[in-house]
Amino acid sequence: MDILIQQLFNGLTIGSVYSLVALGLTLVYGILHIPNFAHGALYMMGGYMTFTMMTKFGFHYWLAILIAVVAVGLLGVLMERFVFHPLRNAPPLHDKIAAIGILLFLESFAQLVWGGDYLTMPTPYNQVVSIFGLTFTMQRLLIIVAAIVIMIALNLFLKKTFTGATIIAMSQNREGANLVGINTTKVAMLTFLISGGLAALASSLASPINLVFPGMGHLVILKAFVIIILGGMGSIPGAILGGYILGFSESLGATYISNDYKDIIAFILLVLILTIKPTGLFVKGGHT
Amino acid sequence: MTSIFNKRNSIIFFVLLSLIFPTVVPNDYFLYLMTTAFIWVIAVSGLNILAGYTGYLSLAHAGFFAIGAYSLGLLTVKAEMNYWIAFVLTLGITSLIGLFVGLIALRTKEHFFAIYTLCVGYIIYLVIDKWEGLTGGVRGLIGIPTPANIGPIAFDSVHSQYYLVLFFMLLSLLIIYRIVHSLTGRTFIAIRNSEQLATTIGVSTMKNKLLAFVLSTFFAGMSGALYASVIRFIGPEIAYTSVMFDLLMYLLVGGIGTISGPAVGAIVIVWVSQQLQFLQEYRMLIFGPLLTLIIIFYPRGIVGAFISLKTRAQAKKRKVPIVNESLTPTKKQIEEG
């Protein structure tokens, strides 16, 4: 029973990270219809940024995260400006290939600057707390709480602010939004800013319990794609829910099935979903 | 000018060049490099049938390449089968797996198809990596034999392997040329240009997409089998996504949707990579942005750029206005490619 609860807790932690990554991905897909294969590279860059800020410049964890979020968000804006904006009228194949080009570049760049080693990120929250006889590390609790806070904040931003409303409007109909005077170019950049920021935040939170290395984005991005197909491409609640579903199934699968094959679970899940329903679960009409 | 450099002459020229290539290179290393480049040409040409002509970007191709390599490796090393029987069986195995994957994968479209196949590729990688009992896991598979003799011809030297791979490459290109210029090839192009329209005029899209998928895995399997017997060591990394991205780069740089594109791309990039050996690990610093720039400015690669240059020159000569400047190639351009 203890193992079960412990694993559910781990699932909650992993799921929080997945949800944050998937949120950024689904936002870009829902609004700009770009499946951003380079999102994993943004996740990776976030991890390295925070790591460098903490170890090289001696900044506090939170300040380092803030800098990483802004820096990676701007990186996302650059990507939109120089790559996806010129390609907005090209066939869908082009977006994907361009994104893969960015991914390859950023990975190689990280390897050049930081080397190929596995790095451990320090954290001020290494304490172990015990609640009801179960032991948790502070960092894991922090991930869960931070993720929930961010999701609520993002939701409030989209629902209650004017800028948020323009984003929603554009996701519903780009031409229509343009007609009523929304600067769609600006909204596109803003979307990439948020998306990159979320990716950086997720990796900064998750890195102390994982490791930082150039290929760290690979599996995460693949799983994020599984999540947004699970939750419906472009759907924000879907991404959050999908993230937690995958987090739980992985941590339970690792304990009760096989630790070696835990990474396959997500992909088998996807293959099953698309086998049964080729347009993805809960897909919004017209977005296929 | 065009009379000397027409299509037939240039093909003859390049075939002759590749035939005398082993006699002019200073050492075996370059020959070996060219042999591997030819192997990639086969794989990329297969990918091209699907991505270039049918319009479905499969990201599982490295997985099928690895299935080909591992099938041949396991059949010859563990089952100790005759090389050529194993070779034929390998082609059958990859096509069969391709058929099953295609049946399911092709029900999805566009982004879903790319993501689905990316995940299939990753599953293949993980299975090869984790299934130690069968594949040897991360240690890989060693001692794969060189191709067995055919009559008096032996394939144990670098030279003979070069010619063997060259033979398979030319054969593959010929087959693909015939397919693309047949009614089947036209059907593929119709699906790429508009699947709905193709269905409307009575094309069985699923059947044709499946055919394109199986063909593309067939060539991936052939290329994988040749790779295993030339390199003679295979590890799970040949199924990794980075190999997939390499294939994609060869295709894009050469020219997607053209017959000669994959050959030009693979050979050019293999040689450029060779020149950039000193930055082996960081070569993606150059190739990553290159890939992105090509897709923005030259979506049809080197061959595509060359064709539009030629068309423009011809149009100028005949004083005809240039009609086609769009991204999707016209029927005529495809014929010329």
Side-chain angles (χ1 to χ4, degrees), chain A residues 29 35 37 93-94 96 98 100-101 104-105 108 111-112 218-219 222 225 260 264 267 270-271 274-275 278-279, chain B residues 57 104 107-108 110-112 115-116 118-119 122-123 126 130 240 245 281-282 284-285 288-289 292 295 299:
Chain A
Y29 185 83
F37 282 103
L93 192 71
H94 294 194
K96 277 173 257 177
I100 289 170
L104 295 176
F105 170 73
S108 205
Q111 194 155 12
L112 179 74
H218 277 184
L219 269 176
L222 281 173
F225 271 122
D260 268 357
I264 282 192
F267 307 125
L270 176 92
V271 167
L274 288 183
T275 306
T279 47
Chain B
L57 178 66
I104 302 166
R107 296 169 63 211
T108 59
E110 286 180 9
H111 306 320
F112 287 109
I115 295 163
Y116 188 96
L118 188 65
C119 288
Y122 216 89
I123 291 176
L126 283 174
K130 305 281 183 206
Y240 201 58
F245 297 152
E281 278 175 76
Y282 310 118
M284 285 304 167
L285 275 180
T292 310
I295 202 68

Side-chain angles (χ1 to χ4, degrees), chain A residues 78-88 98-99 102, chain B residues 292 296:
Chain A
L78 284 181
M79 268 164 54
E80 201 279 332
R81 239 16 347 237
F82 290 112
V83 180
F84 295 117
H85 190 72
L87 282 174
R88 68 197 178 288
I102 301 171
Chain B
T292 310
I296 297 174

Side-chain angles (χ1 to χ4, degrees), chain A residues 153-172:
Chain A
L154 183 73
N155 202 36
L156 286 177
F157 168 73
L158 289 175
K159 292 273 157 66
K160 302 284 177 197
T161 65
F162 183 74
T163 327
T166 61
I167 293 181
I168 301 277
M170 191 162 146
S171 79
Q172 285 164 353

Side-chain angles (χ1 to χ4, degrees), chain B residues 222-302:
Chain B
M222 183 198 279
S223 151
L226 288 170
Y227 179 88
S229 42
V230 168
I231 306 287
R232 306 190 61 193
F233 162 81
I234 45 176
E237 70 278 354
I238 58 167
Y240 201 58
T241 38
S242 54
V243 176
M244 184 61 235
F245 297 152
D246 275 345
L247 294 177
L248 203 58
M249 193 159 60
Y250 299 152
L251 182 60
L252 260 293
V253 171
I256 190 168
T258 58
I259 295 283
S260 49
V264 172
I267 293 169
V268 165
I269 292 197
V270 166
W271 283 96
V272 171
S273 304
Q274 152 64 24
Q275 295 303 310
L276 299 175
Q277 196 122 62
F278 62 94
L279 42 83
Q280 190 57 13
E281 278 175 76
Y282 310 118
R283 63 197 189 96
M284 285 304 167
L285 275 180
I286 296 168
F287 288 131
L290 185 73
L291 192 65
T292 310
L293 289 176
I294 281 180
I295 202 68
I296 297 174
F297 297 107
Y298 293 99
R300 296 184 55 227
I302 296 175

